[in-house]
Amino acid sequence: MAKYTIVLDAMGGDNAPLSSVLGAVSAISENSDIKIILTGDKEQIEACFKGVDVPAFDSNRLEIAHASQVIDVNETPTVAIKEKKDSSIVVGLNLLKENRAEAFVSAGNTGAVLTGGTLIVGRIKGVLRPALATLLPTKTGYVFLCDSGANVDSKPEFLVQFAKMGEIYMENVLKVEKPRVHLVNIGEEAEKGNVLTKEAYELLKNSNVNFCGNIEAREIMSGEADVIVCDGFVGNVILKHTEGLASTLMSIIKNELMSTTKSKIGALLAKGAFKNIRKKFDYKEIGGAPFLGLKQLVVKAHGSSDEKAIKSAINQAYTFISNNITKKIEEELGVTKEHDVK
Amino acid sequence: MAKYTIVLDAMGGDNAPLSSVLGAVSAISENSDIKIILTGDKEQIEACFKGVDVPAFDSNRLEIAHASQVIDVNETPTVAIKEKKDSSIVVGLNLLKENRAEAFVSAGNTGAVLTGGTLIVGRIKGVLRPALATLLPTKTGYVFLCDSGANVDSKPEFLVQFAKMGEIYMENVLKVEKPRVHLVNIGEEAEKGNVLTKEAYELLKNSNVNFCGNIEAREIMSGEADVIVCDGFVGNVILKHTEGLASTLMSIIKNELMSTTKSKIGALLAKGAFKNIRKKFDYKEIGGAPFLGLKQLVVKAHGSSDEKAIKSAINQAYTFISNNITKKIEEELGVTKEHDVK
């Protein structure tokens, strides 16, 4: 019998429901510890099993929870969560609330997943604001960016909690020993920054976080930090600029390489190298963005997720729940601790 | 006789004073409209002319204004400006104040240049906050990032002025017809953002700026914007992340290409293509960052500027002053207009 149940929003993302169905089948085939509940239109989901070659899988570990509605990417999150009670996102989050599953994964409307997560699943008592966090590739490995977009007007106390949650994640999910936590700032010196980062610096310095000081954006990719902490607006800019710049650079390189016969041959010979680079910056390999600080795990997968990306997000959710991350966050930030600043 | 006088901080930057001296000589040799005053240690500057092969130049258009002190990159700007009255930066800015020159260029301590510029040269009456602005390369050309680091706790009204100044710059210096101005935000929709950007959006919509809406960081490099406006903290993150990510990507690519014999040959054949890309992301070609909104022009050149970068910054200053940008900013934002929100 499967140890953990993960709910997957079958209707979320550009390639749903097929990518979700195939990702789910692939995940349970590789990992006998998990069972998956797909939320969404039963008929459409079942049609996926007929239309293409779905590999054989243990059907006892794949279930469908019918949901008649879909929250579109352009809908206003608060309104959609309130009005679409039978949407794949709300149905999925309710399964978490009722303790019928340990994690919820969705490639759908980010705002709806975050708002729904906070309203339906609820935050751990003591966590001031749940944070969305994303792994970014660096020269030497990965850095955990927290918050990457959930809280766009943060207070210094929030940043200290983002730091602690990031530390716990990197220690337990990526098995980084004593993660180096840095504050994103405009200079390395302690006195640099805006009102928010100056105050956050002082709080971090006096916290139990392994705080290693400020980091300038120039060094984010250098590999010197394991966790970088910032306000969600800044984090979102970093995340999306990374995506945009990497893709722009690759396209400029491609155009340049196609400009002469000599460089075209060069490009052909260097094909394998370019493939490795694209892989490094491929979100499909990385998984989704965990929404940290809720009573149960919610993972936001990339909107353009394919089967592979969905599987990565499910695997990531598995590592998270099998390592009891939520319980560890609760132990550190829960109301029994003094951290509870209101 | 030269039409314009540009003051150059001979002591600023990692390669000073040699880079400054050579950059100045190169600039005046190419442009008979300008005269340059070098500020700094007379003896050290004069030694530069002896040590290396300095090409012949019109010595009537190169002058030295002796300054016995240097403000180090690590010094606290406000303190340094106050205490080092005979530093190359303060001496240079005073020449501007006394109307003995039209522009000041420095590769030295950024904070000191900005603080000194504001305190000594002074801002145009009506400009709420002078803004540091930087040109970033895009897929199709350049985008003007304003503010890129001077104001790290901006108010919505500041952003409207940054937008106007950016528009004037792009129209007159880069000759972009009707520059498209965008607000950096976490989503394209009008209602997206933090407190600052939501308010700034409304103000921009109702201003005389050619405001084209929000832009997500993912699209900064796409070429869809000519001017992007944001708080200086966010702008600094964008600027430095661009530098860091471009350099990381190029180094990852280099390592990958060196990993097999086949890809090594490929790299050799594609050498020219890579050179072009590096050139595109080379700040040395772009020049410095103008500090917009002061009574006279102050340009901050990159700290690691070499001769070529210094020359680019001088050329940029020349285009700025010969196009009367300061006067144009004054006409738009000066106290005679209604824009003056305190």
Side-chain angles (χ1 to χ4, degrees):
Chain A
M1 215 191 100
K3 275 188 192 165
Y4 305 103
T5 303
I6 295 170
V7 184
L8 177 64
D9 171 11
M11 313 308 281
D14 308 338
N15 310 306
L18 188 60
S19 53
S20 305
V21 169
L22 294 176
V25 166
S26 176
I28 58 167
S29 302
E30 285 180 19
N31 187 345
S32 60
D33 271 359
I34 55 172
K35 176 185 164 173
I36 287 176
I37 303 177
L38 291 164
T39 59
D41 187 273
K42 200 165 187 278
E43 212 168 296
Q44 281 187 55
I45 296 171
E46 280 173 346
C48 292
F49 290 100
K50 288 165 195 155
V52 291
D53 283 336
V54 176
F57 63 95
D58 177 2
S59 59
N60 291 320
R61 290 192 286 116
L62 195 70
E63 206 178 282
I64 300 171
H66 179 67
S68 64
Q69 295 170 304
V70 175
I71 296 177
D72 193 73
V73 274
N74 298 318
E75 288 186 66
T76 308
T78 42
V79 178
I81 289 296
K82 215 172 143 187
E83 290 179 358
K84 292 193 166 172
K85 296 284 184 209
D86 201 37
S87 62
S88 57
I89 291 177
V90 175
V91 168
L93 290 168
N94 275 319
L95 288 170
L96 237 61
K97 190 190 175 183
E98 294 155 9
N99 284 315
R100 289 172 56 197
E102 284 82 25
F104 173 69
V105 175
S106 173
N109 183 317
T110 308
V113 173
L114 300 188
T115 308
T118 309
L119 294 177
I120 299 167
V121 180
R123 60 190 166 91
I124 294 167
K125 213 175 169 184
V127 168
L128 301 168
R129 292 290 184 283
L132 194 63
T134 310
L135 279 175
L136 294 178
T138 68
K139 221 179 258 187
T140 53
Y142 291 98
V143 63
F144 199 57
L145 170 68
C146 187
D147 176 21
S148 65
N151 306 283
V152 295
D153 285 298
S154 296
K155 290 183 181 168
E157 307 87 272
F158 302 174
L159 267 60
V160 179
Q161 291 201 338
F162 299 167
K164 196 70 218 173
M165 294 193 287
E167 193 174 65
I168 294 169
Y169 188 92
M170 286 307 269
E171 209 165 357
N172 293 281
V173 177
L174 267 84
K175 312 292 178 197
V176 175
E177 217 175 305
K178 225 181 164 202
R180 297 154 302 170
V181 181
H182 286 263
L183 176 66
V184 177
N185 212 334
I186 57 160
E188 280 186 19
E189 306 82 353
E191 68 278 8
K192 284 279 173 81
N194 56 9
V195 172
L196 174 66
T197 57
K198 279 180 192 168
E199 285 184 32
Y201 188 97
E202 286 306 310
L203 294 179
L204 281 164
K205 213 177 63 181
N206 297 311
S207 72
N208 67 347
V209 169
N210 179 31
F211 181 53
C212 303
N214 289 327
I215 189 166
E216 288 193 81
R218 192 185 284 124
E219 302 301 326
I220 291 175
M221 297 284 147
S222 71
E224 82 176 60
D226 299 306
V227 177
I228 52 171
V229 177
C230 56
D231 166 67
F233 189 95
V234 172
N236 196 263
V237 165
I238 293 173
L239 174 65
K240 288 179 181 160
H241 191 37
T242 306
E243 263 188 61
L245 187 55
S247 117
T248 301
L249 264 173
M250 293 307 274
S251 108
I252 293 175
I253 290 171
K254 205 177 155 188
N255 287 341
E256 280 292 338
L257 289 176
M258 288 302 133
S259 63
T260 71
T261 311
K262 203 169 115 181
S263 63
K264 262 186 206 168
I265 299 167
L268 203 67
L269 291 169
K271 216 175 167 183
F274 284 114
K275 208 175 151 189
N276 287 343
I277 296 159
R278 260 196 299 273
K279 198 175 162 185
K280 198 170 169 76
F281 279 84
D282 185 2
Y283 65 88
K284 289 170 199 154
E285 306 271 341
I286 297 176
F291 193 38
L292 303 169
L294 298 183
K295 285 179 189 157
Q296 299 266 33
L297 176 64
V298 170
V299 173
K300 174 63 184 62
H302 201 288
S304 53
S305 288
D306 61 5
E307 169 191 351
K308 198 166 111 188
I310 294 290
K311 193 185 76 178
S312 294
I314 295 170
N315 287 341
Q316 185 189 23
Y318 168 73
T319 316
F320 191 102
I321 50 182
S322 60
N323 279 290
N324 279 311
I325 308 296
T326 299
K327 194 163 165 272
K328 280 166 187 152
I329 292 176
E330 205 171 348
E331 281 166 9
E332 283 289 342
L333 303 177
V335 273
T336 49
K337 301 282 284 189
E338 293 154 40
H339 297 280
D340 198 21
V341 190
K342 276 280 150 59
Chain B
M1 216 192 101
K3 275 191 194 163
Y4 305 104
T5 304
I6 295 171
V7 183
L8 177 64
D9 170 9
M11 314 308 281
D14 308 339
N15 310 306
L18 189 61
S19 53
S20 304
V21 169
L22 294 176
V25 166
S26 177
I28 57 167
S29 302
E30 285 179 18
N31 188 344
S32 60
D33 271 359
I34 55 173
K35 175 186 163 170
I36 288 176
I37 303 178
L38 291 164
T39 59
D41 187 89
K42 199 164 186 275
E43 212 168 298
Q44 281 187 55
I45 295 171
E46 281 175 345
C48 292
F49 290 100
K50 290 165 195 159
V52 291
D53 283 337
V54 177
F57 63 95
D58 177 2
S59 58
N60 291 322
R61 290 191 285 115
L62 195 69
E63 204 177 285
I64 299 171
H66 179 67
S68 64
Q69 296 171 304
V70 175
I71 296 177
D72 193 75
V73 275
N74 299 315
E75 287 186 67
T76 307
T78 42
V79 179
I81 289 295
K82 215 172 142 186
E83 292 180 357
K84 291 193 168 171
K85 297 284 183 210
D86 201 38
S87 61
S88 57
I89 291 177
V90 175
V91 168
L93 291 168
N94 275 320
L95 288 170
L96 238 62
K97 192 189 173 184
E98 294 154 11
N99 285 316
R100 290 173 54 196
E102 285 81 26
F104 174 68
V105 175
S106 173
N109 183 318
T110 308
V113 173
L114 302 188
T115 308
T118 310
L119 294 177
I120 300 167
V121 181
R123 59 191 167 88
I124 294 167
K125 213 174 170 184
V127 168
L128 301 168
R129 293 287 185 283
L132 194 63
T134 310
L135 279 175
L136 294 179
T138 68
K139 220 179 259 188
T140 53
Y142 291 98
V143 63
F144 199 58
L145 170 68
C146 187
D147 178 22
S148 65
N151 305 283
V152 295
D153 286 297
S154 296
K155 290 183 181 168
E157 307 89 272
F158 302 173
L159 267 61
V160 180
Q161 292 200 338
F162 299 167
K164 196 70 218 172
M165 294 193 286
E167 196 175 64
I168 294 169
Y169 188 93
M170 286 307 269
E171 210 165 355
N172 294 283
V173 178
L174 267 84
K175 312 293 178 197
V176 175
E177 216 175 308
K178 224 181 168 205
R180 299 154 301 168
V181 181
H182 286 263
L183 176 66
V184 177
N185 212 334
I186 58 161
E188 280 186 19
E189 305 83 353
E191 69 277 9
K192 283 279 172 82
N194 56 9
V195 172
L196 174 68
T197 57
K198 280 179 193 169
E199 286 184 31
Y201 187 98
E202 285 307 311
L203 294 179
L204 281 164
K205 213 177 64 182
N206 298 311
S207 72
N208 67 347
V209 169
N210 179 31
F211 180 53
C212 303
N214 289 327
I215 189 165
E216 288 193 80
R218 191 186 285 123
E219 302 301 326
I220 291 175
M221 297 284 147
S222 72
E224 83 176 58
D226 299 306
V227 177
I228 52 172
V229 176
C230 56
D231 166 65
F233 190 96
V234 171
N236 195 262
V237 165
I238 292 173
L239 174 65
K240 289 180 181 161
H241 191 38
T242 306
E243 262 189 61
L245 187 55
S247 118
T248 301
L249 263 172
M250 293 308 273
S251 110
I252 292 175
I253 290 171
K254 205 178 155 191
N255 286 341
E256 280 292 338
L257 290 176
M258 289 301 133
S259 63
T260 70
T261 311
K262 204 169 114 180
S263 64
K264 263 186 209 170
I265 299 167
L268 203 66
L269 291 169
K271 216 174 165 183
F274 284 113
K275 209 175 149 187
N276 287 344
I277 297 159
R278 260 195 300 272
K279 198 175 162 184
K280 200 172 166 73
F281 280 85
D282 187 0
Y283 65 89
K284 288 169 201 157
E285 306 270 342
I286 298 176
F291 193 38
L292 304 168
L294 297 183
K295 286 179 190 156
Q296 298 268 33
L297 176 64
V298 170
V299 173
K300 174 63 185 68
H302 200 289
S304 52
S305 289
D306 60 6
E307 169 191 349
K308 198 165 112 187
I310 293 290
K311 193 186 74 178
S312 295
I314 295 170
N315 288 341
Q316 186 190 23
Y318 168 73
T319 317
F320 191 102
I321 51 182
S322 60
N323 279 288
N324 279 313
I325 308 297
T326 299
K327 194 164 164 271
K328 280 166 186 151
I329 292 175
E330 205 171 346
E331 281 165 10
E332 282 289 341
L333 303 177
V335 276
T336 49
K337 301 281 282 189
E338 294 155 41
H339 297 280
D340 198 21
V341 190
K342 276 284 150 55

